[in-house]
Amino acid sequence: MKISKAAFIIIPIIAIAAISSLFIFRKKQINPQTGKAQAISLSPEQEVNLGIECAPQLVAEFGGLFRDRLLQEKIKRIGRKLVATSSAGKSPYQFDFHILADSQSVSIFALPGGQIFMTSGLFKNLKTDNELAGVLSHEIGHVIGRHASEKILRRSFLDMPGDTNQVTRINYTARQTAKYLKDFTALTYDREDEIEADDLGIQYMVRAGFDPKSLVSVLQTIKENTDMAAKHPVTTDRIEKINNSIQKFQN
C-alpha cells in the first residue's frame, strides 16, 4: 500500500497528540485545596522553586522593583493578611508580594509557588486597600488553583517532545527559566480558571475583613485595559458568579 506525502505529515502529528494525551492523563494530581483532578507534572515544592528562580528575571524584564519602601510594605501587609486568614496559609506555597517599577504596563503576575508581582501601572489604578486586596486575592486564587502549572505542562510537552521531564527538574538553567517566563507571560486564563480564582479570592477577602464587592470595581478597571482584559476576560456571567460568591461567603 502506497502512503501519500500528506500521510507522512499527518500520522506523526496524530501520534504526538495521542502520546501527549496519554502523558497528560498519567500526570493527574488531586489539588488538596480545591479537590479537582488536574494534569500537572510539578509537585508543589517544584512550583515554589520554579517561581523563586524565575522571579529575578521577571523583575528585570519590568524595570526592577518599584522604589517606594512604604508601598512595597503595604502590598506585602495586605497580601500576607489574605494568606494568613485563609486556607491559602495552610498550603505549601511561599507567598510574597511585590510592586514592579514598570508604570506603562497594567499587569499582575502570579508565578507558581506564590511569588506575586504587580506593575506600578496597575497599582496606581487601584483606589482603595479593598481594591488592592481584590486583585491580590484573585491572584492567590490562581496560585492555589495551580492554573499556570496546569497550562504550562501541555506547552512544555509539545514544545520539547524529546525531553518531557525537563520542566520537572529542581534546578533550572537560565535558558529554561527564560523559556518558561516567555510561555508564562503569554498565558491567558480561560473562563473556568477566572471563575475559580474569583470564588477563592472572594472567600479570602471575606475572611480577612475586606469588602469583596471591590473585586467588581477592579474588574471594571481591567475591562477598560485592552491588554489585561485579553489575559483576564471579564464577562457578564463572571460578574454574576462573583455576586453569588459574595452572598455565599458573607452569609
Side-chain angles (χ1 to χ4, degrees):
M1 181 176 66
K2 189 175 180 180
I3 301 176
S4 67
K5 290 182 179 179
F8 276 113
I9 297 172
I10 294 171
I11 291 172
I13 292 174
I14 293 173
I16 289 172
I19 293 169
S20 300
S21 298
L22 178 62
F23 174 77
I24 290 169
F25 176 78
R26 291 177 63 186
K27 291 290 182 180
K28 290 271 186 176
Q29 297 183 33
I30 300 297
N31 187 318
Q33 297 279 328
T34 66
K36 285 175 55 180
Q38 295 176 281
I40 300 174
S41 61
L42 298 173
S43 69
E45 292 75 17
Q46 289 171 314
E47 287 180 284
V48 170
N49 188 69
L50 178 60
I52 289 172
E53 291 198 22
C54 286
Q57 190 169 337
L58 179 66
V59 170
E61 289 182 11
F62 286 85
L65 292 174
F66 190 53
R67 293 184 178 181
D68 188 316
R69 182 177 57 83
L70 293 179
L71 293 183
Q72 293 287 3
E73 289 176 355
K74 179 178 183 177
I75 194 174
K76 289 180 187 296
R77 181 177 69 253
I78 291 176
R80 289 169 180 170
K81 184 176 182 180
L82 289 164
V83 172
T85 55
S86 70
S87 59
K90 299 181 176 66
S91 75
Y93 298 124
Q94 297 177 16
F95 286 96
D96 203 358
F97 305 87
H98 321 266
I99 304 174
L100 297 166
D102 189 337
S103 62
Q104 302 304 310
S105 301
V106 179
S107 302
I108 187 165
F109 306 96
L111 287 167
Q115 298 295 312
I116 295 176
F117 295 86
M118 175 186 296
T119 63
S120 62
L122 174 58
F123 184 86
K124 69 183 181 183
N125 278 284
L126 302 175
K127 304 175 185 67
T128 66
D129 287 0
N130 284 305
E131 289 191 351
L132 177 57
V135 174
L136 295 180
S137 64
H138 177 85
E139 295 303 314
I140 294 168
H142 278 309
V143 174
I144 293 298
R146 309 183 76 184
H147 298 150
S149 297
E150 188 173 27
K151 283 180 166 52
I152 291 293
L153 168 69
R154 292 176 175 83
R155 290 191 180 199
S156 299
F157 181 72
L158 293 173
D159 290 349
M160 300 176 289
D163 190 11
T164 57
N165 289 321
Q166 185 170 356
V167 78
T168 67
R169 293 174 184 164
I170 293 296
N171 296 311
Y172 302 93
T173 65
R175 180 174 173 273
Q176 285 173 316
T177 55
K179 183 186 183 306
Y180 180 87
L181 272 179
K182 182 179 178 182
D183 286 347
F184 173 79
T185 53
L187 273 181
T188 55
Y189 291 114
D190 55 32
R191 175 180 175 277
E192 290 73 21
D193 291 340
E194 293 289 31
I195 288 172
E196 183 172 59
D198 288 338
D199 190 65
L200 290 168
I202 292 296
Q203 180 182 350
Y204 303 154
M205 290 184 76
V206 170
R207 292 186 177 176
F210 293 103
D211 180 5
K213 295 184 180 68
S214 297
L215 182 55
V216 177
S217 60
V218 168
L219 290 182
Q220 188 58 43
T221 299
I222 290 173
K223 195 173 182 178
E224 292 169 359
N225 182 275
T226 305
D227 292 338
M228 195 162 181
K231 287 181 173 294
H232 300 268
V234 180
T235 58
T236 301
D237 72 319
R238 183 178 169 191
I239 300 296
E240 290 175 358
K241 288 186 180 296
I242 287 175
N243 288 327
N244 291 338
S245 293
I246 291 171
Q247 290 184 347
K248 177 174 66 174
F249 291 116
Q250 282 192 325
N251 291 336

